[in-house]
Amino acid sequence: DLSSWGNWELSRYLSAFRKRKLLLCNMRSGASRTLRRLLVSNIQPRLPLPAVQRATVRLFSAPSLSKAPQQGEPEPAVQDTSSSIFSPTPEHQALREMVRSFAEAEVEPQANEFNRGELMNVPLFRKLGELGLLGVTVPEEYGGSGMDASAVCIVHEELAACDPAFCLAYLAHSMLFVNNLAQNGNEAQKKAWLPQASDGSKICGMCMSEPSVGTDVLGMKTTAVRDGDEYVINGAKMWITNGTVDGKETGDAYLVYARTGTTNREISLFLVEKGMKGFSLGQKIQDKCGMRASMTAELVFQDCRVPASNLVGEEGKATICMMRNLQIERVALAAMSLGIARRCVEEMNRYARDRQAFGAPLNSFGQMQRLIAESYAEYQAGRCYVYQTAKDLDLGSVGDGLNADGVKLYCGVMGKNVADRAIQVMGGYGYVGEYNVERLWRDAKLLEIGGGTNEAHHKNMVRDLSRKVDKLP
């Protein structure tokens, strides 16, 4: 009973964190939430919240907590786990176990309800902040968890396996706003916004696409003109994830790309806050094919006045910010496709094993074997490509666009194809919402469009190959 633990018992476990050790056990999510509350209430005065969040991540994989340790007992031994490309360190493995436990216990049960209602589950989203996931790549001094691109892939794969739409809202906030600001903002901007965005008290997004501008992003029409100590922004942004969280108002803040010069490269990035004069919610996009629990909207800027201090980076130099963040966005989207594919392989495999046809298990027939086996092999191939790319990706760098495009191109198609095969294996049951794969199939289609269309990836990759590659390693 964790509630019976006092400060001494909890402090003994926290001492392992201070030594950068990892405690390995399998805790149920309910017990983990109990421990998190105890950690925050009993230990927080001695340990800052980011450290509590990191401890919570690790405690999802701590030794058995069926009873409190006794006085004089040695500290729990640290198990030596062999690393893999999918979990490069024990901390990554702990993260995976924690997110999977959370997703199965809390994300999965609500997925169909919120998708059918086209609603964002805001209270559940804020819980991601309690777990330290909303600021997964943010340095600890700004309230984040200070992890890397591999951690980004782990979180997105695990959340998407249960609810890709919920995961998409997470991506728009944690990658497109939080990571973007962490990499490109100045000290004042990071101190003002990253703690609130990392703990979930603020829900944010990013604005790039426009009603008439998608793949041709440098052709954007939205403008920002300097007027004394302010910029005046005019234009509209379309298809904005987290553009609204309730269908009535905008989210709390957005990073907005706008033209500040006469050439198509003179793009600047601005932090626009809810309630700024001239900034408003346009139409809420409804009746989408998939990703229905991720709310999408048009945002309108009509003589929107933004303080000059809200310029992120240098005026006219935001294309580098854009390219830097597109890399991790595309890798994260590819990881979402992995989650969809993994879940679909699990569902079709289970169904084909249990279902009888013509007096034999369905998986004894060659046609079904091909669909299941090819899906598993393609999922594993994509997984290796994604995690190898993540392992080599420096979040602060620019220049790995070839593989960022490549993983999304391959995995976007792969995830949709695997979902399609799952429906085929499951027949009529796969075609109805009760069995989940039809929702995953609809959600998977967006990953061939959002964050870069397949055709844009073809163009980018051939351009990069022709410029940079003669012989492959």
Side-chain angles (χ1 to χ4, degrees):
D1 180 7
L2 294 177
S3 63
S4 67
W5 284 32
N7 283 357
W8 180 83
E9 290 91 344
L10 290 168
S11 296
R12 288 192 67 206
Y13 271 82
L14 282 172
S15 68
F17 305 144
R18 295 190 183 101
K19 298 172 185 176
R20 305 293 294 176
K21 292 182 180 178
L22 182 68
L23 307 177
L24 301 165
C25 97
N26 244 338
M27 287 175 57
R28 298 177 185 271
S29 61
S32 299
R33 289 195 301 277
T34 301
L35 182 56
R36 183 169 64 250
R37 288 195 299 271
L38 289 168
L39 287 172
V40 173
S41 62
N42 294 340
I43 305 299
Q44 192 172 357
R46 283 174 279 162
L47 199 63
L49 182 58
V52 173
Q53 292 168 338
R54 293 194 304 280
T56 303
V57 167
R58 291 162 188 154
L59 278 166
F60 268 89
S61 53
S64 175
L65 300 179
S66 57
K67 63 187 182 70
Q70 301 299 312
Q71 286 279 6
E73 285 185 356
E75 285 195 0
V78 178
Q79 180 179 333
D80 181 20
T81 57
S82 56
S83 63
S84 74
I85 191 174
F86 311 120
S87 296
T89 68
E91 189 170 18
H92 288 94
Q93 180 59 28
L95 176 68
R96 184 179 297 281
E97 292 174 8
M98 183 271 283
V99 181
R100 183 172 297 192
S101 176
F102 173 79
E104 291 176 351
E106 302 205 34
V107 178
E108 176 71 24
Q110 57 83 58
N112 283 332
E113 175 188 351
F114 281 85
N115 273 269
R116 288 169 183 154
E118 297 188 69
L119 299 170
M120 180 179 178
N121 190 335
V122 175
L124 185 63
F125 184 89
R126 296 194 195 279
K127 284 189 178 182
L128 298 174
E130 295 178 30
L131 297 176
L133 300 179
L134 294 178
V136 66
T137 62
V138 172
E140 297 172 10
E141 59 264 35
Y142 304 112
S145 297
M147 298 189 78
D148 58 9
S150 295
V152 170
C153 291
I154 288 169
V155 177
H156 284 83
E157 180 183 358
E158 296 300 333
L159 290 178
C162 290
D163 188 351
F166 181 77
C167 185
L168 188 67
Y170 167 75
L171 183 150
H173 176 93
S174 66
M175 296 295 106
L176 305 190
F177 181 88
V178 176
N179 181 74
N180 199 342
L181 187 63
Q183 295 297 328
N184 300 305
N186 61 36
E187 191 68 13
Q189 292 164 347
K190 290 189 280 191
K191 285 182 176 179
W193 278 95
L194 290 182
Q196 300 175 83
S198 295
D199 67 19
S201 57
K202 301 291 185 182
I203 299 178
C204 308
M206 183 271 290
C207 301
M208 184 184 297
S209 296
E210 299 183 355
S212 60
V213 177
T215 299
D216 182 21
V217 64
L218 296 182
M220 67 178 63
K221 305 295 190 294
T222 299
T223 61
V225 178
R226 183 76 181 249
D227 181 20
D229 292 334
E230 297 178 314
Y231 282 88
V232 181
I233 302 178
N234 280 285
K237 295 294 182 177
M238 193 67 163
W239 315 116
I240 307 306
T241 304
N242 299 347
T244 180
V245 297
D246 59 6
K248 301 174 183 178
E249 299 179 309
T250 70
D252 292 301
Y254 301 87
L255 291 175
V256 180
Y257 291 94
R259 184 175 305 286
T260 48
T262 56
T263 70
N264 65 357
R265 291 272 172 186
E266 293 178 275
I267 305 294
S268 300
L269 184 59
F270 299 91
L271 203 164
V272 179
E273 303 169 35
K274 178 180 181 178
M276 283 185 166
K277 184 178 180 181
F279 175 46
S280 63
L281 175 65
Q283 59 180 311
K284 175 192 171 187
I285 311 301
Q286 294 181 293
D287 200 23
K288 296 178 295 184
C289 172
M291 301 291 187
R292 295 167 76 93
S294 165
M295 300 187 76
T296 312
E298 175 189 33
L299 297 178
V300 178
F301 306 85
Q302 186 172 6
D303 291 330
C304 174
R305 305 191 77 87
V306 178
S309 59
N310 281 30
L311 173 69
V312 178
E314 298 180 52
E315 181 177 318
K317 305 290 186 180
T319 52
I320 193 72
C321 304
M322 185 187 299
M323 295 303 108
R324 180 184 293 122
N325 216 63
L326 275 172
Q327 290 181 168
I328 189 59
E329 177 188 2
R330 288 168 175 168
V331 171
L333 288 165
M336 287 183 61
S337 292
L338 294 180
I340 292 172
R342 191 190 81 209
R343 178 66 180 277
C344 288
V345 169
E346 292 169 350
E347 295 288 343
M348 74 171 102
N349 178 58
R350 186 180 304 113
Y351 181 88
R353 181 187 61 212
D354 297 339
R355 176 68 185 263
Q356 296 283 316
F358 303 100
L362 193 62
N363 65 5
S364 67
F365 297 96
Q367 300 100 319
M368 298 298 103
Q369 292 169 355
R370 180 181 68 83
L371 296 176
I372 297 169
E374 289 184 355
S375 295
Y376 174 78
E378 290 174 14
Y379 159 67
Q380 289 291 6
R383 201 173 188 226
C384 291
Y385 189 13
V386 169
Y387 280 91
Q388 181 62 49
T389 299
K391 177 177 175 289
D392 296 336
L393 182 61
D394 178 354
L395 294 173
S397 70
V398 178
D400 196 23
L402 174 62
N403 285 311
D405 278 290
V407 294
K408 184 173 172 296
L409 173 65
Y410 178 82
C411 290
V413 175
M414 179 273 295
K416 186 194 69 175
N417 288 345
V418 171
D420 189 80
R421 292 186 196 126
I423 292 177
Q424 196 68 24
V425 168
M426 297 172 71
Y429 291 101
Y431 197 66
V432 297
E434 181 183 354
Y435 284 79
N436 293 318
V437 293
E438 68 85 27
R439 170 171 56 85
L440 297 171
W441 180 66
R442 289 185 288 104
D443 290 346
K445 181 58 190 177
L446 180 69
L447 302 177
E448 294 187 316
I449 301 169
T453 62
N454 290 351
E455 295 74 22
H457 299 319
H458 296 152
K459 172 182 68 69
N460 295 344
M461 292 175 71
V462 171
R463 178 199 63 208
D464 290 347
L465 284 166
S466 65
R467 289 177 181 174
K468 302 175 183 178
V469 176
D470 185 30
K471 288 187 178 182
L472 293 171

